[in-house]
Amino acid sequence: MIASARAFWRWLTSMRTALLLLFLLAVAAIPGSLLPQRNLNPERVNQYLRDHPDLGPWLDRLWGFSVYSSPWFSAIYLLLFTSLVGCLLPRLAQHVRALRAVPPDAPKRLDRLPQHASGLAADGAPAAVAEAVAATLRKRRWRVAVREHADGVTVAAEKGYLKETGNLLFHFSLLALLVGVAAGSWYGWEGNRIVVAGPDHGFCSSIPQFDESALGARVGAEDLPPFCLQLDGFDVEYLDSGQPVSFAAHATYTEGLSGAPRQATFSVNDPLRLDGANVYLFGHGYAVIVRYTDRYGVSQTTVAPFLVDDDFLTSHGLAAFPDANIDPTGKAPRSDRAQTAFSCVYLPTVPSDVTLARSAHPAEKNPALMCSAYQGDIGLDTGRAQSVYELDRRQIDSGQLSQVGPETKLAPGESWTLPDGSTMTFLGTRKWAALSVRYDPGQQTVLAGSVVMLAGLLISLTGRRRRAWARVVPDEDGRSLISLGGLPRTEQPSFAVEFSQLVSVIEENHGRTVRPAADVDDPGVRPGNAGVRG
Amino acid sequence: MWTILGYALAMLGYAAEYAFSSNGVVARVAAAPRRELVTASVGGGPERVHDPLWDDPDGLSSPVADVGTAPSPAGGKGQRAAIFGKIGVALTAVAALAHGGALVTRGLAAERVPWGNMYEFVLAACFVGIVSWLVMLALRPAVRLLGLFVALAQVLLLGFALLVLHTQVAPLAPALNSYWLKIHVSAAALSSGILLMAFIPSALFLARDGWDRGKRSFPYTLGRRLPAADSLERLAFRVTVFGFPIWTFAIICGAIWAEAAWGRYWGWDPKETWSFISWVIYAGYLHARATPSVRRTTATWIGVLAWATMVINLYVINFVAVGMHSYAGVE
Ligand code: HEM
């Protein structure tokens, strides 16, 4: 039992398993990019489910529409991170030990190393020469140990510990990333809403005031920071082609329970950053202002945000008056043709070819509202969810709601009198902005983690661990002979050059005469750096 | 566009060199004694290391005329091949100038950085590719032998860009008008270009390696005249090591930009997802290469796969998936 647990742990923390899990993670990420995902696009998920009545529910059961929060995706990355921890802790311990340890003593035969040089003579006793060589190495930031032996003195040096430090930093910051992401999903929240410009359409940060909201697992409605915001105006600049060039939302907001109102302008790419939440601009459109004067002469005005249909802001929506046509004196009985709604399409710029019901430009160059009027029961009491942009077709199909009069086109300011004598007037438009208010407390951690990760990666990829040794032995004349050897611990083509520079420096500083170079054809010289890869 | 024609002509030059080169660089590379790779000696400075593809005195910084120091070519045939190759290089350089010119004029016409839509992105990434190729060439003249494949890749990528992706000059959508765009997209183009230059030697390594192991069917026959397998592999590795951090940086910048533009730094949008997939597979490649028990061929296949995911991200995802990165601007 324990043995097999051990074996499993060994398997889990091996490089091959890490490799396998990395692969699995990559493969597991694919379906989420092919299938629509609930968190990104719930409407397309529903569409998919409607289009694939057989396959859809199965995919749904397998978390196919929420891949990145699915148990199997989580299982893979949690295993990977477990493997990572299991891999890193021993490596960290080993690295700490290596940082404290002295470099290992020189091998018996330096001439078997991939890099070596011999025949350097120096004045002085071996101990003094070795000390001087060690000093030179230290100055070049090698970690050095000098050892005395019966036959001479060895200097062992090692350099490039930073590589492993970088590697550990890189992998540990991956863990930091995971922590940041988790914090964000537990303690973060978001709320979206459409805000029409004007002081009468402001909103405050409470859940019911958002059109939709999502709270992290550890967030309650009472945790949202209090603030209120109103949209004062919204500027867009367009090219003649209709492509927008810039957006700017002007807002007044108050923070806290008793903050002073403050003004701000924010935009796409430039959110409004509040204390404890950011406000992002996601979209914009027109809200249509319609006044309806009913049979009894009672007027009501509504400001209805219209849903955008295309890049040129062709929009559709509904101006509904559920409380219209009720006799204010209470004498006349309530008519079953009382509730009135206008289902309209708004074109900011009517095209020159008027048969097209599509706007020709997103700015209001030649605006028109095309409406169909309906009277009857809008269906608010049916208990069914109602769209605020479209009439419930079932009410129309069942005859409870019917069209009155022809479809009518109105310019701003124009009125239209319905058969029953009531009138509607298209007063104009206001802008609306789609805002998303979000808070992600893990963001800073993730950012810091990725910066450290990149730094660690660079250090790790550019670092080179290598060792060098010198052996100083006395010669017959009471002077010293130095031989040197070098071992790159990872593949590093530049080591040969570094080593020969080192040799020249030692030669310059301490050497006296140079014997003929080591013979490259010496059979003792092993070709290849086969033993030191990886 | 003239640039493509230039690369196509350059390709002819390289092809000629490739065809005539049985006595050329390749043969010498293959013949270069391995022993010379590892020796250094006192006094005479470093021994010339005869690995023409990977003669690396100090990282990427100092050029060494390795071809010149190799044994001289066997005869006129080799020299003729070399001349064709040099013509190829000259044509590549001219084409690269035209390529750079096209980017600059596009930038001037649009009054912004010239990588605001997919067409321009491919153009920019290919430009980075060709410039890194020319840099590699300046540092190690022997890589010239890969020129045929580099030029081929350029012709294919640019040809596709011109025929399918071409869009009129237009200013950026406001969502793209951020300085993070400039950083993020430049880093992405830079790393894509560099990783393309890692992919080419990787693929060629696989061909050469297959040839060495006795495979004689089509793609492997390309390997016959290529430089030694392990120098190709090392080249691919070094270039990947250079490109991977830039790719990492590109993703991080993308996340910072996404936070400002979309309110979240990461949302598993298809483009983000595939960037993640490529990143993870490149990390897998680095792991595989650091694991002694994994063969170099296997590691290289992983590298090739990683490149394939980059290509999928650029070409397939822009067309197929509906994401927030819908700026590709393909008509
Ligand atoms: C979360 C997933 C992981 C990612 C994204 C990742 C990424 C990377 C990258 C990019 C490198 C190359 C840096 C370098 O060469 O120094 C690397 C190296 C390394 N990784 Fe990971 N890694 C992950 C998990 C793991 C795990 C689970 C292990 C242990 C089993 C591990 C062990 C190593 C080791 C030992 C190296 C150094 C290789 C060398 O000596 O050059 N990694 N990793």
Side-chain angles (χ1 to χ4, degrees):
Chain A
M1 182 58 205
I2 287 173
S4 61
R6 272 237 181 91
F8 174 74
W9 183 247
R10 249 207 318 278
W11 172 82
L12 186 63
T13 55
S14 76
M15 275 290 255
R16 298 196 77 127
T17 308
L19 203 57
L20 183 78
L21 289 171
L22 275 172
F23 257 115
L24 271 178
L25 189 67
V27 172
I30 295 176
S33 72
L34 303 178
L35 295 171
Q37 296 295 296
R38 279 225 168 78
N39 59 337
L40 289 181
N41 213 329
E43 193 32 57
R44 287 190 59 235
V45 174
N46 295 336
Q47 184 64 39
Y48 190 95
L49 285 172
R50 260 175 271 135
D51 294 347
H52 303 85
D54 300 324
L55 186 61
W58 271 105
L59 289 175
D60 206 5
R61 237 163 283 162
L62 296 172
W63 297 274
F65 304 111
S66 45
V67 166
Y68 305 107
S69 51
S70 69
W72 47 269
F73 192 75
S74 315
I76 295 172
Y77 72 73
L78 288 178
L79 264 183
L80 182 59
F81 277 96
T82 314
S83 162
L84 187 60
V85 172
C87 189
L88 284 190
L89 291 180
R91 258 185 100 115
L92 181 64
Q94 206 181 353
H95 188 50
V96 170
R97 246 178 283 130
L99 282 177
R100 286 210 244 114
V102 284
D105 202 0
K108 275 220 170 55
R109 295 198 51 185
L110 291 181
D111 60 2
R112 295 213 168 180
L113 293 170
Q115 300 295 332
H116 58 266
S118 59
L120 209 60
D123 286 327
V129 171
E131 219 23 85
V133 169
T136 300
L137 284 165
R138 273 194 205 102
K139 215 157 88 208
R140 295 171 79 88
R141 318 225 342 265
W142 290 73
R143 175 183 302 245
V144 181
V146 181
R147 294 180 177 87
E148 303 228 6
H149 297 275
D151 58 345
V153 184
T154 58
V155 180
E158 185 156 2
K159 196 173 174 177
Y161 295 87
L162 214 51
K163 180 183 179 62
E164 181 68 0
T165 311
N167 190 26
L168 288 170
L169 210 57
F170 170 82
H171 285 88
F172 272 110
S173 53
L174 289 176
L175 290 176
L177 238 54
L178 185 71
V179 169
V181 171
S185 78
W186 284 340
Y187 298 100
W189 57 270
E190 67 175 82
N192 300 328
R193 112 159 237 159
I194 282 183
V195 185
V196 176
D200 48 339
H201 281 83
F203 75 104
C204 292
S205 60
S206 73
I207 298 298
Q209 294 207 29
F210 288 113
D211 299 335
E212 52 191 29
S213 60
L215 303 185
R218 305 280 170 87
V219 182
E222 67 288 353
D223 294 330
L224 307 199
F227 70 88
C228 296
L229 184 145
Q230 87 185 33
L231 189 64
D232 300 327
F234 190 88
D235 299 332
V236 201
E237 258 176 67
Y238 298 104
L239 295 179
D240 287 341
S241 68
Q243 187 184 329
V245 188
S246 72
F247 300 120
H250 308 287
T252 304
Y253 66 96
T254 53
E255 283 189 87
L257 294 171
S258 55
R262 269 187 277 182
Q263 242 110 47
T265 297
F266 59 100
S267 174
V268 176
N269 281 328
D270 183 17
L272 170 61
R273 303 209 182 264
L274 303 175
D275 191 16
N278 298 320
V279 183
Y280 301 90
L281 179 61
F282 272 15
H284 68 110
Y286 293 105
V288 170
I289 313 168
V290 173
R291 185 176 64 214
Y292 179 61
T293 308
D294 68 15
R295 296 165 207 157
Y296 301 98
V298 179
S299 286
Q300 302 177 50
T301 302
T302 183
V303 181
F306 271 35
L307 208 59
V308 174
D309 295 329
D310 62 21
D311 288 345
F312 289 160
L313 299 187
T314 305
S315 318
H316 73 271
L318 199 60
F321 299 93
D323 304 324
N325 298 315
I326 298 168
D327 184 359
T329 61
K331 283 185 208 137
R334 191 173 170 145
S335 152
D336 61 353
R337 287 276 171 262
Q339 294 190 338
T340 305
F342 299 90
S343 174
C344 309
V345 172
Y346 179 63
L347 309 184
T349 300
V350 176
S352 44
D353 177 359
V354 288
T355 56
L356 295 174
R358 297 246 154 240
S359 172
H361 197 276
E364 294 179 305
K365 292 185 170 176
N366 179 18
L369 187 67
M370 302 208 276
C371 293
S372 308
Y374 289 85
Q375 289 189 320
D377 180 1
I378 298 176
L380 295 180
D381 306 327
T382 57
R384 287 197 296 262
Q386 294 282 327
S387 163
V388 291
Y389 303 108
E390 269 151 46
L391 285 170
D392 189 343
R393 286 243 50 105
R394 281 168 290 196
Q395 294 299 105
I396 297 171
D397 294 342
S398 69
Q400 287 171 280
L401 191 63
S402 49
Q403 189 170 355
V404 290
E407 192 185 20
T408 300
K409 184 170 142 189
L410 299 136
E414 283 183 351
S415 296
W416 171 27
T417 305
L418 299 186
D420 67 355
S422 61
T423 57
M424 80 84 99
T425 308
F426 171 35
L427 294 175
T429 60
R430 287 196 209 167
K431 300 287 294 189
W432 59 255
L435 302 185
S436 182
V437 185
R438 296 177 175 216
Y439 173 60
D440 182 344
Q443 215 157 271
Q444 261 69 29
T445 314
V446 172
L447 182 61
S450 25
V451 170
V452 174
M453 176 185 86
L454 189 58
L457 183 65
L458 284 172
I459 295 172
S460 157
L461 289 176
T462 53
R464 289 164 297 133
R465 186 89 171 261
R466 59 255 194 222
R467 285 182 179 157
W469 290 279
R471 173 169 284 122
V472 188
V473 294
D475 75 355
E476 312 88 59
D477 313 327
R479 288 173 310 196
S480 297
L481 281 179
I482 312 174
S483 47
L484 295 152
L487 176 69
R489 297 195 56 197
T490 52
E491 183 180 297
Q492 32 184 297
S494 60
F495 185 66
V497 174
E498 185 188 15
F499 183 77
S500 74
Q501 278 168 352
L502 194 63
V503 171
S504 323
V505 169
I506 289 177
E507 183 192 338
E508 247 166 57
N509 289 0
H510 317 293
R512 207 172 36 80
T513 34
V514 180
R515 295 244 180 111
D519 187 350
V520 290
D521 285 331
D522 178 351
V525 180
R526 285 276 148 75
N529 37 9
V532 292
R533 261 190 197 143
Chain B
M1 205 182 272
W2 292 108
T3 309
I4 299 189
L5 189 64
Y7 288 131
L9 286 176
M11 226 171 101
L12 280 181
Y14 292 128
E17 174 179 39
Y18 183 76
F20 289 122
S21 67
S22 49
N23 289 324
V25 195
V26 207
R28 298 202 301 273
V29 175
R34 292 290 295 137
R35 169 163 41 80
E36 288 179 282
L37 276 172
V38 290
T39 48
S41 54
V42 187
E47 182 84 0
R48 264 286 146 62
V49 171
H50 293 161
D51 178 357
L53 277 192
W54 204 254
D55 187 0
D56 191 345
D58 185 19
L60 287 166
S61 60
S62 97
V64 175
D66 30 39
V67 178
T69 62
S72 58
K77 217 175 158 196
Q79 274 162 8
R80 201 168 59 212
I83 287 171
F84 281 125
K86 284 186 179 140
I87 293 174
V89 171
L91 287 168
T92 310
V94 171
L97 277 179
H99 193 160
L103 274 176
V104 170
T105 48
R106 200 150 167 115
L108 289 176
E111 296 177 357
R112 57 170 170 76
V113 289
W115 41 84
N117 56 43
M118 189 171 163
Y119 172 66
E120 293 168 356
F121 182 85
V122 173
L123 227 59
C126 285
F127 184 65
V128 171
I130 206 70
V131 169
S132 16
W133 155 251
L134 290 172
V135 169
M136 273 152 68
L137 202 62
L139 298 178
R140 332 227 173 281
V143 294
R144 196 175 69 220
L145 220 74
L146 313 185
L148 172 60
F149 303 95
V150 173
L152 176 67
Q154 291 281 338
V155 170
L156 291 179
L157 290 171
L158 291 177
F160 183 79
L162 195 62
L163 295 178
V164 183
L165 308 175
H166 187 74
T167 39
Q168 289 306 316
V169 172
L172 291 178
L176 299 183
N177 205 351
S178 143
Y179 78 35
W180 285 110
L181 166 85
K182 299 186 184 91
I183 302 177
H184 163 64
V185 184
S186 334
L190 200 62
S191 48
S192 301
I194 292 172
L195 292 172
L196 165 68
M197 286 303 134
F199 162 71
I200 292 175
S202 296
L204 296 181
F205 161 75
L206 291 173
R208 172 75 206 201
D209 185 59
W211 176 265
D212 288 347
R213 282 188 287 123
K215 295 199 181 145
R216 291 292 177 266
S217 55
F218 165 61
Y220 299 108
T221 48
L222 290 177
R224 184 159 61 103
R225 292 178 170 172
L226 290 171
D230 61 342
S231 50
L232 282 170
E233 198 274 340
R234 247 191 328 254
L235 180 66
F237 174 68
R238 294 294 294 244
V239 178
T240 309
V241 158
F242 194 66
F244 181 72
I246 304 179
W247 179 236
T248 311
F249 178 70
I251 296 179
I252 295 174
C253 292
I256 296 176
W257 178 34
E259 191 281 326
W262 301 327
R264 82 288 184 293
Y265 56 86
W266 194 265
W268 297 107
D269 159 273
K271 198 98 191 156
E272 291 171 346
T273 304
W274 280 86
S275 304
F276 170 80
I277 292 173
S278 301
W279 190 81
V280 164
I281 299 182
Y282 272 117
Y285 167 72
L286 295 178
H287 274 165
R289 204 165 177 292
T291 313
S293 62
V294 175
R295 285 192 315 149
R296 288 286 151 96
T297 325
T298 315
T300 305
W301 274 114
I302 299 176
V304 168
L305 186 69
W307 169 251
T309 61
M310 297 282 283
V311 173
I312 290 177
N313 197 359
L314 184 54
Y315 288 99
V316 182
I317 300 302
N318 280 358
F319 289 106
V320 178
V322 182
M324 294 177 100
H325 276 83
S326 51
Y327 62 84
V330 184
E331 278 154 15

